[in-house]
Amino acid sequence: MIRKLAAEFFGTFWLVFGGCGSAVLAAGYPVLGIGFAGVALAFGLTVLTMAYAVGGISGGHFNPAVSLGLALAGRFQWRELLPYWVVQVVGGTAAAAVLYGIASGAPNFAAGGFASNGYGDLSPGHYSMAAALLAEIVLTAGFLIVILGSTSRAAPAGFAPLAIGLALTLIHLVSIPVTNTSVNPARSTAVAFFAQTGALNQLWLFWVAPLVGGAIGALIWKHLLAPGESTGQIGRED
């Protein structure tokens, strides 16, 4: 169990440090900045690389919503859910602290939003709470369907991290203007601690919506889509 928790810690650390780091350190430069598309790709690459690196140890969740969805789908032990959530949040927060230490070394540094998520005035496009809630639920549900489908017995072996990483890139391309993209409560919590925009006051949505979306996606997969898998088979990943 220690190895699994360590893998989840480092995987979530990498996701927050690489994904949010791309937004904080590299997105806004007027000439060489990577922009929304670059940030979206960075998030996808963090999951892809760590899924290959430590996915064989812990399953490569790096996200409380993913852990919940996998448990509902019968792919993950319920007794391990809370420990996974704890190390995911701790790993993400450790990454945000390191990122803050680096970013604050720049002249005239101001944390501002610090890659945090939000709706209304804290949304990049000033989208409403209802829009943010709907986007996060739908996109997290889709993410779980991709995860469960790409790791099913019917999927080609060895390609799941590619599909999952590309799915997370697509999710960010769609929803950065809406919420700055969460679909991951650990990622949202980690940077909200360091933001100076009141992001902590809106953090509830970025726990509720991804968890609801993850549950919906898992149940859709389990009861409607699982190709050639019985309930018993779903509990085993190849």
Side-chain angles (χ1 to χ4, degrees):
M1 185 62 174
I2 296 299
R3 291 177 67 246
K4 289 182 179 181
L5 296 179
E8 285 297 302
F9 176 94
F10 287 114
T12 314
F13 181 101
W14 190 242
L15 184 150
V16 171
F17 185 75
C20 294
S22 71
V24 170
L25 301 177
Y29 277 85
V31 177
L32 299 176
I34 61 176
F36 281 0
V39 173
L41 181 60
F43 270 100
L45 289 173
T46 63
V47 170
L48 187 157
T49 51
M50 271 295 168
Y52 277 120
V54 301
I57 300 170
S58 68
H61 303 183
F62 320 140
N63 182 338
V66 171
S67 297
L68 176 64
L70 292 175
L72 286 168
R75 297 267 191 95
F76 181 60
Q77 299 287 337
W78 282 101
R79 68 175 180 271
E80 296 181 352
L81 184 63
L82 184 57
Y84 266 52
W85 281 10
V86 170
V87 296
Q88 287 160 357
V89 171
V90 172
T93 304
V98 173
L99 178 59
Y100 186 89
I102 295 170
S104 61
N108 303 317
F109 167 75
F114 202 68
S116 59
N117 304 114
Y119 55 85
D121 289 341
L122 301 188
S123 160
H126 300 284
Y127 284 80
S128 68
M129 181 180 72
L133 189 69
L134 183 59
E136 290 288 327
I137 290 173
V138 170
L139 291 170
T140 312
F143 193 37
L144 261 294
I145 291 170
V146 170
I147 290 170
L148 289 163
S150 63
T151 56
S152 74
R153 295 176 181 276
F159 290 97
L162 288 171
I164 295 166
L166 289 172
L168 190 59
T169 299
L170 174 60
I171 286 167
H172 279 76
L173 289 172
V174 171
S175 62
I176 286 177
V178 182
T179 63
N180 212 24
T181 310
S182 174
V183 303
N184 184 337
R187 168 262 190 273
S188 296
T189 302
V191 290
F193 289 130
F194 298 89
Q196 297 174 340
T197 56
L200 281 170
N201 294 329
Q202 297 186 359
L203 186 58
W204 67 269
L205 187 145
F206 301 102
W207 273 88
V208 172
L211 292 178
V212 170
I216 291 172
L219 294 175
I220 289 173
W221 174 263
K222 183 175 181 179
H223 296 294
L224 294 179
L225 297 176
E229 295 181 344
S230 68
T231 301
Q233 289 172 319
I234 290 175
R236 287 164 36 202
E237 297 181 39
D238 292 331

